[in-house]
Amino acid sequence: MLIVGFDGQSVNKNSQIVKDMQKYHLGGVILFDVNYHNRSQQKNIASPKQLQKLTAALKAFSPEPIFIAVDQEGGKVARLKPKYGFTPIPSAFNIAKMPLQKAKALYQTQSQMLQQNGINCNFAPVLDLSVNPKNKVIVGLERSFGKSPKKVAKYAELLIDTQTQHNIISVCKHFPGHGSSLGDSHKGFVDVSNTWSKKELEPYKILIKKHKIDAIMTAHIFNKHLDPLYPATLSYKVNTQLLRNELGFKGVIISDDMQMRAISKYYSLKDATTLAINAGVDILLFGNQLSHNSVKEIVETIFTQVKSGKIPLQKIINANKKIEYLLTKNSIIPKPIIFTAKRKAMTKAYIKKHYGIDAKNITIEPKIIVLHWTAVTNFKDSYARLYPEKLFSDRKDIASASQLNVSAHFLVDRDGTIYQLMPDDRVARHVIGLNYSSIGVENVGGEANKKEDLTPAQVAANIRLVKYLKMKYPDIHYLIGHYEYKKMQTTPLWLEKDASYRTTKADPGKKFMQAVRKGVSSLHLKGVE
């Protein structure tokens, strides 16, 4: 639940940030180019080559996937600056003057640049409206796309879409709207009670309704009409009642920097963290730019509050679930197999023949996850077997059932990288009798279809993926290995009409299934052993 800043352009096993990542399992880090108080002093970013080495090291040292975040909006708010060798990107204000295609091309360039340099989380786009021309922190810095909510949402969506294509999490900011303010929350208390309007919520409403927003950053602004006691970051009324309950946002809420004077000047670390978490904030950001808090101090403060009951443990559990979901979603790499009208038609014919259902489409409601191994020892060959629409000629054992090729929704490489081959709510041919309700996960390996050689990295990846899928589809109740599929014949999920169509399976191995089940035991998924 913590994203923190640190000093230094490189890390090693003795670096404090590395020790903190490994001891406390940080959610992530935030990188800056210069020190806030001494802008001539470099902090984390000096050149593309240096940044790539830093981000690679951070990922390697972290025991789990982490957010590596920056503020890369374009224009004056850009950590990857041209003077360090990065591609210049115009401000939101100037981008919004361009045709959509040109804006999209620029954001494609920026997203590619972030991805190439190891950044997977960008605190952008800004959804604030430029409603106050005297606003210095948003309007004055050209950080807003404009006054019109529809225009802001349209250009913000361009940035979100291009970043999603490059596996970069977009964090929309600053909720519930900073564009009407006169003050700067970096420096102190900011009251928008007399300037803010509900119009400032519109970009969020538009993009939430379109399911475009994964994460939102709060603003440290005070608005007595929304909450007479607390600024937005610390407000249950703003984060839970307004953002979650009224606007329907289900993603991750991230605080703006907790060390900004709008918070740190008026609240102790204990009070600020307690109020923020209880308000519904999932991730607390400590940039360690404006001041400094050690990770140990933050963790121990929160832990004390949990032990005393001031912060309900369930708040921590719920936040962790949302964070893990987002990290897993972001880490999945799209790698589509061929899926033309021909494959869809073959799939419908398979459904009709084997399940007796005249399906209008091939959409499923997932109820079960089935884990497999490919019996092929490298990724390239495994993918090649799943890629075509038609079954290979060497699969005579199942050819009479259908010429539709076997496939799966996900393919996990031996290093734990997760690839998505097709939408997880479509029928894939991967398990007899259960395809109409099951998501298939193939794992590269299973030597000679006998040796249990799947890796610890694959175990960890399958655990993350199962948790992700269960959160995405709450109606998933079963987790089985392919070798267990015949035991499902007594359940309502079994639909196979052909009593002679059965094959004997050994994948993905009993040891592998035991390890994955242990890792997801908190989900209470049913098995068949």
Side-chain angles (χ1 to χ4, degrees):
M1 293 177 66
L2 297 179
I3 292 179
V4 300
F6 64 97
D7 293 331
Q9 295 171 23
S10 63
V11 295
N12 57 50
K13 64 180 181 179
N14 297 316
S15 301
Q16 187 61 50
I17 189 63
V18 170
K19 293 178 180 178
D20 289 337
M21 285 194 302
Q22 295 178 343
K23 182 174 181 178
Y24 298 112
H25 291 239
L26 294 179
V29 296
I30 179 170
L31 306 181
F32 297 94
D33 56 330
V34 296
N35 186 292
Y36 183 81
H37 296 294
N38 182 3
R39 295 190 178 273
S40 64
Q41 181 182 339
Q42 295 291 112
K43 188 163 185 176
N44 306 123
I45 300 170
S47 71
K49 186 177 181 180
Q50 168 271 324
L51 180 57
Q52 288 164 22
K53 286 184 178 179
L54 173 61
T55 55
L58 289 166
K59 290 174 184 175
F61 281 122
S62 178
E64 296 175 351
I66 57 168
F67 301 106
I68 299 182
V70 293
D71 290 283
Q72 180 67 25
E73 300 170 16
K76 295 179 181 178
V77 181
R79 308 301 180 221
L80 280 61
K81 292 181 171 64
K83 66 181 180 181
Y84 309 137
F86 298 102
T87 304
I89 302 296
S91 67
F93 174 77
N94 286 317
I95 286 276
K97 294 179 180 180
M98 302 175 184
L100 289 173
Q101 280 303 112
K102 185 175 181 181
K104 182 178 180 179
L106 281 166
Y107 280 148
Q108 284 281 9
T109 298
Q110 175 173 272
S111 298
Q112 186 175 6
M113 177 174 67
L114 290 169
Q115 185 181 43
Q116 288 174 343
N117 287 281
I119 305 299
N120 66 1
C121 180
N122 188 13
F123 293 144
V126 170
L127 299 190
D128 299 318
L129 305 183
S130 57
V131 291
N132 182 356
K134 295 181 180 178
N135 176 292
K136 295 180 181 179
V137 72
I138 302 295
V139 181
L141 294 177
E142 299 186 346
R143 301 171 70 188
S144 172
F145 290 111
K147 295 180 181 179
S148 163
K150 288 184 179 179
K151 183 177 184 180
V152 168
K154 184 185 295 183
Y155 280 88
E157 186 175 354
L158 279 182
L159 177 53
I160 292 169
D161 286 346
T162 57
Q163 291 187 157
T164 299
Q165 291 166 15
H166 290 83
N167 284 75
I168 297 163
I169 295 163
S170 301
V171 182
C172 297
K173 60 188 186 184
H174 306 79
F175 188 83
H178 212 313
S180 67
S181 67
L182 283 169
D184 182 349
S185 54
H186 289 80
K187 300 175 181 178
F189 184 77
V190 176
D191 189 342
V192 297
S193 299
N194 297 324
T195 56
W196 184 88
S197 72
K198 288 186 177 181
K199 179 182 177 182
E200 297 181 57
L201 297 175
E202 288 303 313
Y204 293 94
K205 289 181 178 179
I206 293 168
L207 294 172
I208 289 172
K209 189 174 182 180
K210 295 178 78 171
H211 303 287
K212 289 290 184 177
I213 304 182
D214 285 321
I216 289 175
M217 177 177 282
T218 64
H220 295 330
I221 57 169
F222 176 80
N223 184 340
K224 66 182 181 182
H225 304 296
L226 296 178
D227 190 324
L229 295 177
Y230 300 112
T233 299
L234 311 184
S235 171
Y236 182 86
K237 290 178 182 290
V238 171
N239 293 301
T240 297
Q241 292 183 355
L242 176 58
L243 180 52
R244 293 221 185 274
N245 297 345
E246 290 186 35
L247 272 59
F249 180 63
K250 294 182 175 17
V252 172
I253 299 177
I254 303 177
S255 78
D256 207 340
D257 194 339
M258 296 294 288
Q259 293 162 332
M260 288 183 181
R261 296 288 287 166
I263 300 296
S264 62
K265 184 178 178 180
Y266 302 98
Y267 300 90
S268 66
L269 178 65
K270 179 180 73 173
D271 290 341
T273 53
T274 301
L275 285 165
I277 293 171
N278 286 340
V281 173
D282 301 300
I283 294 178
L284 302 173
L285 175 62
F286 287 85
N288 287 323
Q289 280 278 77
L290 303 167
S291 61
H292 185 272
N293 294 98
S294 71
V295 172
K296 181 179 179 180
E297 177 190 14
I298 300 166
V299 171
E300 290 298 332
T301 298
I302 297 170
F303 185 45
T304 298
Q305 292 298 86
V306 173
K307 286 193 293 183
S308 69
K310 298 291 177 62
I311 298 175
L313 179 59
Q314 196 60 44
K315 288 278 189 183
I316 307 296
I317 293 171
N318 291 343
N320 272 264
K321 284 180 180 178
K322 287 196 284 284
I323 294 163
E324 286 181 11
Y325 177 89
L326 183 54
L327 281 166
T328 301
K329 178 183 179 181
N330 181 64
S331 69
I332 296 171
I333 299 173
K335 195 170 178 63
I337 56 177
I338 296 178
F339 223 105
T340 65
K342 178 183 176 182
R343 193 171 202 149
K344 291 176 184 176
M346 291 174 74
T347 302
K348 288 180 182 179
Y350 182 96
I351 294 168
K352 177 69 173 176
K353 178 179 179 180
H354 290 275
Y355 305 150
I357 299 171
D358 193 6
K360 292 182 180 179
N361 56 56
I362 60 170
T363 303
I364 65 171
E365 295 179 4
K367 303 284 176 60
I368 178 171
I369 300 169
V370 185
L371 305 186
H372 306 256
W373 67 32
T374 62
V376 179
T377 55
N378 68 79
F379 178 84
K380 183 179 178 181
D381 290 344
S382 295
Y383 179 70
R385 296 290 300 187
L386 302 168
Y387 183 75
E389 296 177 303
K390 192 175 178 182
L391 199 65
F392 281 80
S393 59
D394 60 4
R395 295 305 309 270
K396 292 183 175 129
D397 55 328
I398 59 172
S400 61
S402 173
Q403 283 298 304
L404 173 67
N405 194 24
V406 294
S407 56
H409 302 88
F410 298 94
L411 178 60
V412 182
D413 203 353
R414 297 185 67 75
D415 65 358
T417 304
I418 303 170
Y419 296 88
Q420 184 157 7
L421 309 185
M422 57 182 287
D424 46 36
D425 63 348
R426 303 290 190 272
V427 173
R429 184 185 183 185
H430 65 97
V431 57
I432 293 170
L434 300 169
N435 292 315
Y436 208 60
S437 59
S438 66
I439 294 175
V441 180
E442 287 279 3
N443 289 274
V444 176
E447 191 175 322
N449 237 334
K450 295 178 181 178
K451 184 178 178 182
E452 294 192 24
D453 68 341
L454 299 183
T455 67
Q458 286 173 306
V459 171
N462 277 256
I463 289 170
R464 293 199 310 275
L465 185 54
V466 169
K467 288 181 176 179
Y468 163 78
L469 291 170
K470 173 61 177 174
M471 192 164 179
K472 185 176 182 180
Y473 299 109
D475 286 339
I476 288 177
H477 296 300
Y478 284 92
L479 170 66
I480 68 168
H482 196 191
Y483 66 91
E484 301 171 307
Y485 83 97
K486 292 179 186 177
K487 296 179 181 178
M488 293 294 293
Q489 293 180 79
T490 58
T491 72
L493 297 179
W494 184 270
L495 300 178
E496 183 57 56
K497 300 293 184 182
D498 184 351
S500 65
Y501 181 38
R502 305 287 188 275
T503 56
T504 300
K505 295 294 179 181
D507 60 311
K510 291 185 178 181
K511 290 181 181 177
F512 185 81
M513 284 305 302
Q514 287 169 356
V516 174
R517 284 193 168 116
K518 183 178 180 181
V520 300
S521 59
S522 63
L523 302 181
H524 305 293
L525 294 170
K526 298 176 186 177
V528 289
E529 284 187 318

